[in-house]
Amino acid sequence: MSYVQRWRKSSYSGEDAEHNCVELAQRDATAILLRESDDPQTVITTTPLALRALTRAVKAGRLDHLSR
C-alpha cells in the first residue's frame, strides 16, 4: 500500500497564524508523524499504538496533574 504524506490538523483549529496546533500525518502502516504547525521542520515519529495510548490517557484525564 502506498501512503501520501498529507498533514492534517483539528477542525477546531483556526486558519490564521494565531491558531497553531499539532498536525498529524501517516507515513506508512507503522508510523505516525507529528509536528507543531508553527515549527513544521521539527517532526516526531511514533507508532499508531503509542499515539492511541496517549490520546486515551489525555481523554481520561490521566495527565491532568502535569499541568498543576
Side-chain angles (χ1 to χ4, degrees), residues 4-57:
V4 175
Q5 185 172 312
R6 184 175 303 140
W7 291 100
R8 304 175 102 186
K9 67 179 182 173
S10 171
S11 60
Y12 292 104
S13 299
E15 294 298 323
D16 60 344
E18 293 184 21
H19 290 94
N20 295 320
C21 64
V22 174
E23 298 175 320
L24 301 171
Q26 187 168 6
R27 184 178 67 195
D28 55 34
T30 63
I32 302 293
L33 307 175
L34 294 94
R35 72 180 184 185
E36 182 70 27
S37 61
D38 65 343
D39 186 16
Q41 294 77 28
T42 303
V43 178
I44 298 171
T45 304
T46 190
T47 65
L49 183 63
L51 182 59
R52 191 175 308 116
L54 174 64
T55 303
R56 287 180 178 159

